[in-house]
Amino acid sequence: MRPIRLPEPPPPPPGFSGVPDILDGAIRRALVVGNGFAGAENQCIGLVRALGLADRHSVQRVTRPRGGINEWLHWIPVSLHKKINYVVKRVWGDSRFRTTFESNKVMPLSAEKSGLMNVLETDPKQIAVMARESFEKEGPLLVIASGRDTIPVASTIRRLAPENVFVIQTAHAREQIPWFLRRWITPRDHPDSHVILTVGALHQADSATLRSAAFTWHDELAYLPKPLLVVNVGGPTSNCPYGADLAKELIIKLQNVLWSCGSLRISFSRRTPVKVSEMFVREFRANSKVHIWDGEGSNPHMGHLAWADAFVVTADSVSMLSEVCSTGKPVYVAGAERCKWKFADFQNSLQERGAVRAFTGKEDISETWSYPPLNDIAESATQVHEALAKRGWRICT
């Protein structure tokens, strides 16, 4: 009898270690733990994108009661806050203490498109069980959390499923938290490589996104007279308070530099007071050089990042400043002197890097200057890869 010759097995793919991906510590999925605020959640999603897991992640949230007396309780732990809110509502039942979990002001700008409108409330125990039970089939779970309220949740997930999850916590430096509250709102032990401390906020405005935006907005923005100055007006916060006074000051300064601009485009955030936006509309609507986005149609923000020659940004938004400073283009800040606490520290760090200058109204916008762009997204992704490698795990892209 002739021996039966079986076909030779196909050669292994490049990089194959001889061990199935799941057993080789390949991470194929990620969970974002957010707090309902665009600034925090965009940090996580931006990092997910940089790691190549944009199409393989889900989002859950840690939410606080909002409205009424709840606005005075945002420093206490979430679990205690919810108990107090429950008691208050049972005892008084007053509309002043009404809980609002899904108000418009906490929705990310891209909520409708990113599926963040109706996300699950985070249950760390349930997540840990899921990670353990699905480990053999799907491999490790990467958990990326951002925001003070997510720290206890992320820590619990890691404690309950240490062999099945890898937790990354993006956070502000511990020194920026009031000393008498630190033990309650930050981990007591420094989590080493599981914490990413960045200069600015992580975001989704990476190079691929801006290339796509440049193509999408080419017909509308590419042929505008140069230089194109983009003005992003935010809104007052407890740490950067301002109102009509800063708006009047900013309008006068913009009028003073308008001669050096080919085009001027103004956008507002959802936090911009109506009286402030109306002031800009009233002053500039008759000027053919100026275009004010009215909130209708597609948000031009990414297009602005791609095509602008320079920016003027109010100091209230760390996320907005982080995005524009990642372009390497001139950035002028309005209202930085009004900021305090971590916002003031952030402004100082940007100025020390040469990334921003105070907007004086005496600038010639056609004059350019440069600085090393903020590259927090890529640097953070590198830190994650290094931390995973120490554990023998890797991202499977």
Side-chain angles (χ1 to χ4, degrees):
M1 295 180 60
R2 284 187 175 182
I4 299 175
R5 293 185 177 275
L6 298 177
E8 293 292 328
F16 181 68
S17 64
V19 182
D21 278 347
I22 298 302
L23 301 179
D24 198 25
I27 294 179
R28 300 169 176 266
R29 53 186 177 148
L31 171 67
V32 168
V33 179
N35 60 1
F37 288 90
E41 293 185 359
N42 281 339
Q43 291 195 58
C44 297
I45 296 173
L47 184 54
V48 165
R49 288 172 54 88
L51 293 171
L53 297 172
D55 298 327
R56 290 174 286 163
H57 79 278
S58 57
V59 180
Q60 295 189 19
R61 282 194 179 130
V62 179
T63 53
R64 281 182 179 270
R66 304 197 186 282
I69 196 175
N70 291 304
E71 301 307 316
W72 295 91
L73 301 176
H74 66 281
W75 279 116
I76 65 176
V78 177
S79 57
L80 178 59
H81 188 173
K82 289 182 177 180
K83 291 176 181 178
I84 293 175
N85 178 72
Y86 175 79
V87 171
V88 167
K89 290 202 303 180
R90 288 293 299 269
V91 173
W92 282 280
D94 194 308
S95 60
R96 289 175 299 172
F97 307 107
R98 185 178 297 121
T99 298
T100 306
F101 284 108
E102 296 293 339
S103 63
N104 289 333
K105 71 176 183 178
V106 301
M107 287 294 105
L109 294 178
S110 57
E112 296 84 354
K113 297 181 180 180
S114 61
L116 296 180
M117 289 293 290
N118 298 296
V119 298
L120 295 175
E121 176 76 8
T122 303
D123 185 335
K125 294 181 180 180
Q126 187 178 63
I127 293 171
V129 170
M130 178 272 292
R132 290 196 302 266
E133 293 181 349
S134 62
F135 181 77
E136 288 190 13
K137 182 178 180 181
E138 300 185 41
L141 173 67
L142 180 65
V143 178
I144 304 178
S146 182
R148 172 171 49 86
D149 289 342
T150 69
I151 293 176
V153 171
S155 298
T156 299
I157 295 172
R158 186 177 58 177
R159 176 174 55 82
L160 295 177
E163 302 301 321
N164 313 104
V165 302
F166 194 88
V167 177
I168 299 293
Q169 180 78 51
T170 64
H172 291 295
R174 184 182 179 96
E175 288 73 15
Q176 294 175 337
I177 305 298
W179 66 269
F180 59 91
L181 294 171
R182 290 175 192 166
R183 63 172 297 183
W184 301 104
I185 60 179
T186 59
R188 297 188 184 185
D189 297 321
H190 191 281
D192 300 318
S193 60
H194 291 74
V195 169
I196 298 173
L197 296 177
T198 60
V199 176
L202 303 184
H203 50 79
Q204 301 187 55
D206 54 24
S207 57
T209 299
L210 294 185
R211 283 195 297 270
S212 176
F215 176 81
T216 301
W217 290 92
H218 178 273
D219 292 347
E220 183 170 340
L221 301 179
Y223 303 108
L224 292 177
K226 297 290 187 175
L228 168 58
L229 177 64
V230 167
V231 180
N232 293 321
V233 181
T237 68
S238 58
N239 292 305
C240 286
Y242 68 83
D245 55 340
L246 180 62
K248 292 177 182 177
E249 179 183 315
L250 181 53
I251 287 171
I252 292 173
K253 291 178 179 178
L254 289 174
Q255 290 172 332
N256 289 340
V257 302
L258 195 54
W259 66 270
S260 65
C261 300
S263 308
L264 176 66
R265 290 178 68 97
I266 303 174
S267 293
F268 307 107
S269 78
R270 289 166 302 161
R271 291 186 292 103
T272 307
V274 173
K275 65 178 180 179
V276 168
S277 59
E278 288 178 345
M279 290 172 62
F280 282 88
V281 172
R282 187 165 54 249
E283 293 295 330
F284 291 109
R285 62 186 169 190
N287 194 311
S288 59
K289 274 190 176 184
V290 181
H291 177 272
I292 300 178
W293 183 53
D294 59 5
E296 297 296 325
S298 299
N299 189 331
H301 176 58
M302 289 297 176
H304 286 170
L305 291 177
W307 287 104
D309 296 298
F311 301 91
V312 172
V313 184
T314 54
D316 53 273
S317 175
V318 172
S319 297
M320 186 70 69
L321 280 168
S322 300
E323 288 177 344
V324 296
C325 288
S326 70
T327 67
K329 302 173 184 178
V331 178
Y332 301 97
V333 179
E337 69 282 355
R338 302 166 186 246
C339 294
K340 56 186 178 181
W341 196 40
K342 62 182 180 182
F343 287 83
D345 293 341
F346 178 57
Q347 301 296 335
N348 292 335
S349 68
L350 292 181
Q351 290 185 19
E352 290 172 359
R353 293 171 64 95
V356 302
R357 297 180 181 178
F359 186 49
T360 64
K362 300 177 181 179
E363 292 81 5
D364 180 349
I365 302 303
S366 64
E367 295 181 358
T368 62
W369 46 278
S370 62
Y371 53 91
L374 293 190
N375 198 25
D376 287 327
I377 300 177
E379 292 174 2
S380 297
T382 298
Q383 290 185 51
V384 172
H385 284 297
E386 292 174 351
L388 287 170
K390 292 179 181 179
R391 186 163 178 177
W393 289 357
R394 61 186 176 85
I395 302 290
C396 182
T397 57

